[in-house]
Each structure stands twice: as structure tokens, then as C-alpha cells.
Amino acid sequence: MNYDHIFDQAIDRLHEEGRYRVFIDILRNKGSFPNARCFAGHNGPKPVTVWCSNDYLAMGQHPKVIAAMEEALHDVGAGSGGTRNIGGNTHYHVELETELADLHGKDAALLFTSGYVSNDATLSTLARLLPGCVIFSDELNHASMIAGIRNSGCEKRVFRHNDLAHLEELLAAEDPARAKLIAFESVYSMDGDVAPIHAICDLAEKYNALTYIDEVHAVGMYGARGGGISERDEAAHRIDIIEGTLGKAFGVMGGYIAADRRIVDCIRSYAPGFIFTTSLSPVLAAGVLAAVRHLKASSEERDGQQAAAARLKEILTERGLPVMPSTTHIVPLMVGDPVRAKRITDILLAEYGIYVQPINFPTVPRGTERLRFTPGPAHSEQMMRDLADALGEIWTRSDLGERRAA
């Protein structure tokens, strides 16, 4: 068995398909995001503008967040010291869970090391606790949700994206006495569309199903206090389990769920992904705590971000660029080919100092490769016009690679 040959072939396949991923070597400039410094292929750092960060509101740069993390670092040190049940629990963790539960109007919350882990651990554990459970999953659910459902070992039914008629058809076909869970997202981050939360909850009530919503691209971003689309649409009380991340709009790191105290206690007590994982550093928990508290009281960042997203859509549309329809802060630009998408982003970085990553399979279906821009409150009108000028020039080039056959 030639193991090296197998690994080489695996990487070669990605290169041949045009979807081998390269990580950029940059440092963000504290206090002046989206400005950063790129080190790849240069003699020293080159200034770049970041257009693809999920730190949507630049809270990772906020003075309150940085000050809270510095204070915690000097107060308790760097690491947590272990799992939550063996030395890794601190008052910062307890306070943060209380704030997150309050954010969503729930009894309790539970912290995880990432949004991926919170989805995987919760969905897999929840379904195992419910005898004979079947999970109804939107076809565009995130990979972490799919992993959790698969790891649960339960039966699943995949319904067409946001298709209520199809969801009801699948629900109606099941035994009324069987345990059911509907899993979906609020904001689908690659297309920028939103789930019909109330309508899904109506079906859940009709067919006696639990509801699980992934709000990772919405917490901090929507609602009067940043509780997400479920808060904006006044639907949080109808959702059984709300899952979110601490690494996007809140600007730091981690994931969580908020739910009824009994559900949270079950996940805390049974989920291996929680039990056997070193807890978040208290420094990170302190930073998120500051971000959550700030965004509960301030809508300035949310308003600025929404205005920036709307303006960028206008500017790119005026240039005749293929902006995909989006009702949220996500601004996707359709390319439709992995080679072309990679070539465009390479030129943007090398010639214009503009950083955005191509989005390829398996994140999106083949043939729908795209660029995904996430304008924030600190992206200026001039930055947007510079981006549109660069894209307009690049789009007309003939050396970008041919579209591959599907």
C-alpha cells in the first residue's frame, strides 16, 4: 500500500477541479478593520482590504471587547484548565450563559468551543435521547448540522429548501406518536435568504415536533437586542432550541445553545462533544460577554452593517455584475466555475489589495461557485466603489479560465 500516493492523488483531484483551498497569510490592523496586512508573496506586509470576514460588526476590534479580554487575562490567566466538569468552569462561563439565555428569552444556555461543535453535539445527543426520533432537515443546512444528524444514527428526512409544502408532506407521512425534530437555519449564509420561521413553527405544533434553529449568521445582527431573526420576527418563544455562534457578529470564538433548562441539562450531561472538551478560555468568554452586553444595548453597529450591505448591492448591481438576490447582510456574486472564481480572487488580491475568498464545492453545489462579500459598518463608500471598479475591470478579462462542464 503506497500511502503517500493515495494522499497525493487526493490533493491532485482538488487541483484538477479548481477547488484546492489556499489560506491567506494576513494580520488585521487593530482599530482600523477592514484594513489588514498581507504577507503572502510580498517582501514584507502589503496593505489589503478584507471583504469576507464573518466578524460582521467588527466586534473583534471593539475597545470594550479588547479591554474585557485584557482584564480577564491579567485576572485569571490564559487557559481554562480543563473541561467544565474538571477544573474548566469559571464565573465568566456562568455569566456568559446567563446573558445568552436572556438574549433569547430561554431558561438556560450552554457554551461550546465552536458553532460546529454546538450543532454536532446537540443534534446527535438530542436525537439519541428521543426514542425512534426522526429529524426533518432543510436541504441547505450547514455541514455541522448534517454531521450531528448523521452522528445521531436516527432516521432523517430532507425537505427542499424553505419548502413548507414538502416539509408538511414528510411530517404527515410519519406516525403521529413518533418523536420528531425540525432542524433549519434562520439565515442561509451562502444565498442570504431567510427561513419562514413562524410557518415552520406552525407545522411543528400541528405535527407535535420539536424545533431547532441555527442562528449563527443572525445573532448579534438582527432583533432589537441582537437575538437574531427569531427575535426580529417575534418567534423565539416558539423555538425549542436556538443555536448560535460567538465567532461571527460577536467577534470572538465559541458556540452555544439556548433552550428549556431540562433540554440544556440533558445536553450538558450526555453530549460527548461537551463533556470531554476543554472549555473556552475565560479570556474568550470575557470578550464575548462584553460583546453580547454591548450589542444588547447598541443598534449602531447593526444599522451601519445593514446600510453598508444595501449600498454595496446597489453599487454592484449598477455595474451590471451578477449579484444574487439576498434579503440579508450577505452579498453573493455568482461566478459559476471554481477556476474562474479562484482566478478572480487571486487578481483582486495581487493587483488591487482586495481580499475575498472564492466559495466552492462542497460549501455550495457545483456550478454555483461564487464570491461572498460581507460588508460591515466600517466599509466606506470609497472602498465599495474601489471594489466595484476592480470587479468591473476583471470581469471583462479573457484570461480567467473557461467554465468547466458540469
Side-chain angles (χ1 to χ4, degrees):
M1 178 67 69
N2 188 335
Y3 296 107
D4 289 344
H5 181 64
I6 292 172
F7 297 139
D8 287 340
Q9 283 185 317
I11 296 300
D12 287 344
R13 284 195 298 272
L14 296 178
H15 282 292
E16 290 168 3
E17 295 171 11
R19 60 185 186 93
Y20 178 78
R21 302 186 182 206
V22 178
F23 299 154
I24 193 172
D25 182 2
I26 69 170
L27 289 173
R28 297 198 291 179
N29 297 332
K30 176 177 172 287
S32 62
F33 185 76
N35 296 314
R37 293 156 283 165
C38 176
F39 291 84
H42 308 293
N43 294 320
K46 173 185 176 181
V48 296
T49 303
V50 178
W51 278 100
C52 55
S53 174
N54 283 342
D55 185 359
Y56 294 128
L57 304 180
M59 289 304 296
Q61 304 281 309
H62 198 282
K64 288 183 181 178
V65 174
I66 294 171
M69 295 179 74
E70 289 178 339
E71 181 180 348
L73 178 64
H74 294 291
D75 183 27
V76 300
S80 69
T83 63
R84 290 285 293 277
N85 62 321
I86 305 178
N89 194 62
T90 74
H91 189 57
Y92 290 110
H93 296 87
V94 175
E95 280 192 300
L96 179 53
E97 286 174 342
T98 299
E99 286 287 348
L100 291 169
D102 173 76
L103 177 66
H104 297 292
K106 300 298 182 186
D107 291 341
L110 189 67
L111 292 172
F112 295 86
T113 51
S114 73
Y116 189 105
V117 173
S118 57
N119 270 333
D120 186 1
T122 303
L123 285 167
S124 61
T125 302
L126 192 65
R128 285 197 301 269
L129 290 174
L130 298 170
C133 180
V134 58
I135 296 183
F136 300 82
S137 175
D138 189 288
E139 66 177 343
L140 294 189
N141 276 344
H142 189 264
S144 57
M145 301 176 75
I146 295 170
I149 295 168
R150 182 183 299 118
N151 291 336
S152 74
C154 73
E155 292 185 37
K156 68 175 179 180
R157 309 283 184 264
V158 179
F159 60 93
R160 291 185 292 272
H161 178 52
N162 280 348
D163 189 329
L164 297 171
H166 190 213
L167 174 58
E168 180 162 22
E169 177 186 329
L170 294 174
L171 286 165
E174 295 297 330
D175 181 347
R178 190 172 189 184
K180 307 174 188 68
L181 174 67
I182 304 172
F184 61 104
E185 299 184 36
S186 60
V187 173
Y188 290 85
S189 65
M190 292 303 121
D191 294 325
D193 58 342
V194 173
I197 299 178
H198 278 293
I200 291 175
C201 289
D202 289 342
L203 291 177
E205 291 173 5
K206 181 177 179 179
Y207 293 96
N208 192 27
L210 293 174
T211 48
Y212 182 102
I213 190 169
D214 176 315
E215 286 258 42
V216 297
H217 291 279
V219 290
M221 303 288 293
Y222 298 90
R225 301 194 308 157
I229 297 293
S230 58
E231 183 193 18
R232 185 199 72 177
D233 293 355
E234 299 182 347
H237 65 287
R238 305 186 69 188
I239 301 290
D240 293 296
I241 302 160
I242 297 174
E243 183 268 346
T245 184
L246 308 172
K248 292 183 170 61
F250 294 128
V252 188
M253 180 182 176
Y256 67 92
I257 59 167
D260 175 271
R261 190 171 301 280
R262 288 165 295 189
I263 293 175
V264 170
D265 200 21
C266 280
I267 302 303
R268 181 188 70 86
S269 302
Y270 283 93
F274 173 81
I275 296 170
F276 299 106
T277 300
T278 298
S279 65
L280 283 176
S281 161
V283 175
L284 298 175
V288 176
L289 186 61
V292 172
R293 286 173 172 169
H294 176 80
L295 290 175
K296 278 183 176 180
S298 172
S299 62
E300 179 182 350
E301 293 81 5
R302 283 188 287 276
D303 293 343
Q305 200 282 333
Q306 289 294 322
R311 184 63 184 133
L312 181 61
K313 291 173 189 176
E314 289 176 356
I315 292 174
L316 296 181
T317 300
E318 289 169 0
R319 295 300 179 94
L321 292 162
V323 181
M324 298 171 64
S326 165
T327 59
T328 62
H329 58 282
I330 306 297
V331 184
L333 200 64
M334 177 58 69
V335 179
D337 174 71
V339 175
R340 184 179 174 89
K342 179 66 167 59
R343 179 70 175 137
I344 291 170
T345 58
D346 286 347
I347 295 171
L348 282 171
L349 183 61
E351 299 183 17
Y352 293 94
I354 291 171
Y355 172 48
V356 63
Q357 280 283 26
I359 306 297
N360 297 327
F361 177 84
T363 307
V364 295
R366 297 180 193 274
T368 67
E369 292 82 4
R370 66 200 66 178
L371 309 184
R372 175 183 175 274
F373 299 98
T374 53
H379 284 96
S380 66
E381 174 88 6
Q382 188 58 53
M383 289 176 179
M384 296 182 196
R385 294 198 173 278
D386 290 344
L387 172 63
D389 288 343
L391 286 169
E393 187 276 321
I394 295 170
W395 227 261
T396 63
R397 295 191 184 189
S398 60
D399 63 341
L400 293 174
E402 295 298 323
R403 180 186 176 93
R404 292 178 180 266

